Amino acid sequence: EAKSNKQLLEIMAHVSRPLRTGSTALLLCDIQSRFESVVHGFESLSRCASFLVKSASELDLPIIVTEQYPKAFKETIPAIKKILPEKNTKIFEKTLFSMCTPEVKAHLNELGCTSVILCGLETHVCVLQTSLDLLSMGIDVHVCADGVSSQRKFDRSVALSRLATSGAVISTSESLLYQLVVDSKHPKFRALQPFIKENAANSKESELLTF
């Protein structure tokens, strides 16, 4: 019991570190065209991911994109691909379910990231395995609940619960952005306002507002 309490305290201490722009990356997991017709709330996920990309671009956050075997599942959807900033984006092909391929891990180490914001699909497969791998590397994982999904609602719900008890922080896109900005006097806050308003409007119709 003493050991389990100690482990719980270590987990609590680990996830309590604040998000900071200088040490955070945005990870987009397998948001590919082939999944568009089969994943629950795909359009809602796409809009949320677009909001995160626009915000990350404005804040100069590095963006890591993976594509699961694109020969079969096609590339990242055009709506997202066209707004990815060339300067800060790296795209990696993979067959591993987790995003944490050797190439991605090397890139994360090079960036010196201590935390990531994660969105994409599927929640119970690639997002889950990515989160567990990142946590084992000592990286804080903030899963964007309105930006992840699966083909089945139940799989998404169970995976989010598993992630929450495994040390990941389950949050929302707007909350994550405000944590990064910290202060209304942030020099980029005014530029972010149109994205925040658009995301708020889209959220009213989102299919991903349940845990």
Side-chain angles (χ1 to χ4, degrees), residues 50 71 144 152 200:
S50 295
K71 287 183 180 179
C144 184
R152 293 169 293 275

Side-chain angles (χ1 to χ4, degrees), residues 96-115:
L96 198 68
F97 294 125
S98 171
M99 292 181 74
C100 293
T101 64
E103 296 80 10
V104 170
K105 289 196 284 188
H107 186 52
L108 282 168
N109 287 333
E110 182 183 332
L111 292 170
C113 292
T114 59
S115 60

Side-chain angles (χ1 to χ4, degrees), residues 88-102:
N88 292 331
T89 301
K90 290 277 190 180
I91 300 177
F92 299 88
E93 294 184 10
K94 66 183 181 71
T95 57
L96 198 68
F97 294 125
S98 171
M99 292 181 74
C100 293
T101 64

Side-chain angles (χ1 to χ4, degrees), residues 1-13:
E1 184 178 353
K3 184 177 179 181
S4 64
N5 287 339
K6 182 181 178 182
Q7 289 173 334
L8 179 60
L9 289 171
E10 288 175 349
I11 290 172
M12 290 172 66

Side-chain angles (χ1 to χ4, degrees), residues 24-41:
T24 301
L26 172 63
L27 271 58
L28 305 182
C29 183
D30 308 347
I31 308 176
Q32 295 162 250
S33 298
R34 185 56 63 88
F35 302 119
E36 192 165 0
S37 62
V38 295
V39 167
H40 167 66

Side-chain angles (χ1 to χ4, degrees), residues 29 35 39 120-128 149-152:
C29 183
F35 302 119
V39 167
L121 50 95
E122 290 186 66
T123 320
H124 65 297
V125 184
C126 299
V127 171
L128 176 66
S149 194
S150 300
Q151 294 184 51
R152 293 169 293 275

